[in-house]
Amino acid sequence: MDYQAFTNESLTMMYEAVRGALAADDAVEREGGEPKFKVRDTPDWKKHAADLEAEMLKRGMNFSVIEWHEGQEKLPFDWSGRDGVRRQ
């Protein structure tokens, strides 16, 4: 998608739509239901959000980054990164 063609307001609206779909899925899952949008299960949702973020950053826009781990269990440790050693 050519994100450069969109206005700042359009980018914000699309980004908030991703956030809204994610929140709706999380709410349904908390109630034991099946998420409609499957945002966490569909890699293209994250790619779309990342592409929007990249364009918004390029333009110097302010926005709150989506926390993809919210609503999911977090790991009890941090990965060190390069050496692959887990640290408690």
Side-chain angles (χ1 to χ4, degrees):
M1 185 178 297
D2 182 11
Y3 293 97
Q4 294 176 346
F6 292 97
T7 64
N8 289 2
E9 291 77 12
S10 296
L11 294 174
T12 299
M13 181 62 76
M14 286 188 280
Y15 195 66
E16 289 304 315
V18 174
R19 184 186 307 284
L22 182 60
D25 278 357
D26 287 347
V28 168
E29 282 188 319
R30 278 192 298 276
E31 298 295 320
E34 183 69 24
K36 281 195 243 197
F37 303 107
K38 299 199 181 290
V39 176
R40 293 189 190 282
D41 300 329
T42 309
D44 285 340
W45 276 103
K46 281 188 181 179
K47 181 178 179 344
H48 178 53
D51 291 344
L52 287 165
E53 289 170 351
E55 183 63 27
M56 291 189 292
L57 285 170
K58 200 183 316 181
R59 296 182 188 196
M61 295 172 60
N62 292 321
F63 60 95
S64 296
V65 175
I66 293 171
E67 292 187 37
W68 290 98
H69 66 274
E70 190 175 307
Q72 290 185 333
E73 193 170 323
K74 295 180 188 177
L75 296 175
F77 51 81
D78 291 327
W79 285 97
S80 65
R82 294 178 189 225
D83 63 4
V85 175
R86 288 190 281 182
R87 299 209 166 54
Q88 298 275 3

